[in-house]
Amino acid sequence: MTAGVLFGGLVLFLALGVPIAFALGAATLTAVLGAGLNPIAVTQKLVSGLDSFPLMAIPFFLLAAELMTSGALAEVLLRFASMFVGHKRGGLGHTNILTITFFSGISGSALADAAGPGSLLIRMMRKSGYPPAYAAALTAAASIVGPIIPPSIVMILYALADEGVSVLRLFMAGVVPGLMISAAMIGYNAWASHRRDFRGEGEAPGLDEILRTAWRAIPALLLPTLIVVGVHSGAFTPTEASVIAVFYALFCGMVIYRTISWSMLPQLIARTAFMSAAILLIIAASSAFAWMLTYTQTPQVLTAWIQGLGLSPIMFLLAVNVFLLLFGIFIEPLPGVLVVAPILAPMAAALGIDPTHFAIVVIVNLNLGMITPPVASLLAVTGMIAKVRMADLNREIYPMLAIQILVLLLLTFVPVLSTGLPDLMGAK
């Protein structure tokens, strides 16, 4: 009964348009009062949900992304990507995908990728004759690799929700799936470019220009490498890596690219504080919601039910895919991970599914929700930038979404695509 009130309340509040953090908190409070518990417990769980050292990584990674994205970084990465594919047929579309892929190793956020370099790329594609709806849809579809390629805030939260995986192992596990999604989008853009006659831009650059552009892009591209190698070697923890990333980004912005001044820092810090507060509020509410799930023994009941059905691991994963593709339409990946991981991860473990493999399936699923109509938050962002109707965007996104679902199925049926790199690197 209490579990029904908990989930029913969440659905009701979301349907009424209540922001996700307040919907989670209100649903939890309703369930607590219905169960006759002391409502003070909700306050305690809200506070204790934030009392975690790894959570300190979130504001620091966000600040590092703000520092790296301020100024000329988007143009640097765009020129670096363009020199490889810009002159080919559909070159600007390829450049769009490669630039966002490079950028994802810095921002860790799909929305940041779409609103940052994505806005610049959409404008360039429009000027070159690409249909605005196609440019916006391609940018949104490419941007979902932001939370998949490390560093990733979603992966940090998943590791907190499921003790069966570590942040480092998830970071490494996301590399291959993220590159697979980018490669799939490049393949689709190549096909669409031949079919719709999207021309390339200019000629192939000379060796001198390639070397100059690559040299200028190296500092930006080294940040994700610094994080993964440093954490893997044991030189620092993921939380410490986030602090190092801030100082590295500050050095790049002030000394190497010279696009950041001291007067810009208050605004960058304030913007980071605002984003961090929004995310941490969701985490606090999700922690209270997860505590109520544990109190009602919902994960244990569902696990026993799933085991009683006698589902094979593959059938279970397919059922999870269908559920999360629908669930992800209505809820963002950050709160989505915190809600579903405590429920689904024990079921997967009971069926012998590798925790890292399952985590990647969950994370990719929830990110696909951001480009799945009718909600599609990423499409909303790129649509506003391109100034196109959602109906036109939907027509362009459906084939891209279908290709990414095929990639998801490949990740589902071939676990080594997620676990191979972490196992090879010895990530525990």
Side-chain angles (χ1 to χ4, degrees), residues 315-379:
M315 290 302 297
F316 172 75
L317 286 172
L318 289 175
V320 166
N321 280 334
V322 173
F323 167 69
L324 290 181
L325 285 172
L326 296 174
F327 182 74
I329 294 175
F330 303 103
I331 193 166
E332 294 291 317
L334 285 177
V337 159
L338 293 169
V339 170
V340 303
I343 300 173
L344 297 178
M347 299 184 197
L351 291 172
I353 299 171
D354 184 278
T356 304
H357 172 217
F358 186 72
I360 294 300
V361 170
V362 171
I363 291 169
V364 172
N365 259 299
L366 291 176
N367 279 289
L368 285 179
M370 292 194 290
I371 60 170
T372 305
V375 180
S377 56
L378 273 177
L379 286 182

Side-chain angles (χ1 to χ4, degrees), residues 160-384:
L160 290 173
D162 179 13
E163 296 179 353
V165 290
S166 67
V167 174
L168 173 61
R169 189 167 174 83
L170 285 182
F171 276 5
M172 291 188 172
V175 173
V176 173
L179 294 178
M180 287 175 62
I181 292 173
S182 296
M185 287 298 95
I186 288 175
Y188 174 78
N189 182 66
W191 174 82
S193 298
H194 281 279
R195 182 170 174 267
R196 301 165 72 168
D197 197 26
F198 297 151
R199 301 288 182 174
E201 296 289 318
E203 299 179 354
L207 180 60
D208 289 345
E209 184 180 350
I210 290 175
L211 293 176
R212 284 197 304 271
T213 305
W215 179 256
R216 185 164 172 77
I218 284 175
L221 297 173
L222 279 179
L223 179 57
T225 305
L226 172 68
I227 293 169
V228 173
V229 172
V231 174
H232 178 260
S233 65
F236 39 76
T237 66
T239 305
E240 293 165 346
S242 66
V243 180
I244 292 172
V246 169
F247 284 100
Y248 179 83
L250 193 61
F251 176 79
C252 287
M254 287 189 163
V255 179
I256 297 177
Y257 297 121
R258 299 181 181 180
T259 55
I260 296 178
S261 62
W262 289 108
S263 61
M264 295 170 61
L265 291 183
Q267 182 181 4
L268 295 176
I269 293 172
R271 196 155 58 227
T272 301
F274 179 80
M275 290 188 293
S276 299
I279 292 173
L280 293 174
L281 187 60
I282 293 173
I283 294 171
S286 299
S287 176
F289 188 87
W291 162 73
M292 202 59 195
L293 284 177
T294 304
Y295 174 82
T296 59
Q297 295 189 325
T298 300
Q300 294 88 332
V301 171
L302 290 176
T303 299
W305 179 67
I306 290 293
Q307 288 177 321
L309 293 176
L311 292 178
S312 66
I314 287 297
M315 290 302 297
F316 172 75
L317 286 172
L318 289 175
V320 166
N321 280 334
V322 173
F323 167 69
L324 290 181
L325 285 172
L326 296 174
F327 182 74
I329 294 175
F330 303 103
I331 193 166
E332 294 291 317
L334 285 177
V337 159
L338 293 169
V339 170
V340 303
I343 300 173
L344 297 178
M347 299 184 197
L351 291 172
I353 299 171
D354 184 278
T356 304
H357 172 217
F358 186 72
I360 294 300
V361 170
V362 171
I363 291 169
V364 172
N365 259 299
L366 291 176
N367 279 289
L368 285 179
M370 292 194 290
I371 60 170
T372 305
V375 180
S377 56
L378 273 177
L379 286 182
V381 171
T382 58
M384 285 190 294

Side-chain angles (χ1 to χ4, degrees), residues 28-29 32 37-51 283-285 287-289 291:
T28 303
L29 181 60
V32 165
L37 301 176
N38 190 336
I40 295 297
V42 177
T43 305
Q44 293 173 337
K45 296 303 176 182
L46 289 173
V47 175
S48 63
L50 297 178
D51 187 16
I283 294 171
S287 176
F289 188 87
W291 162 73

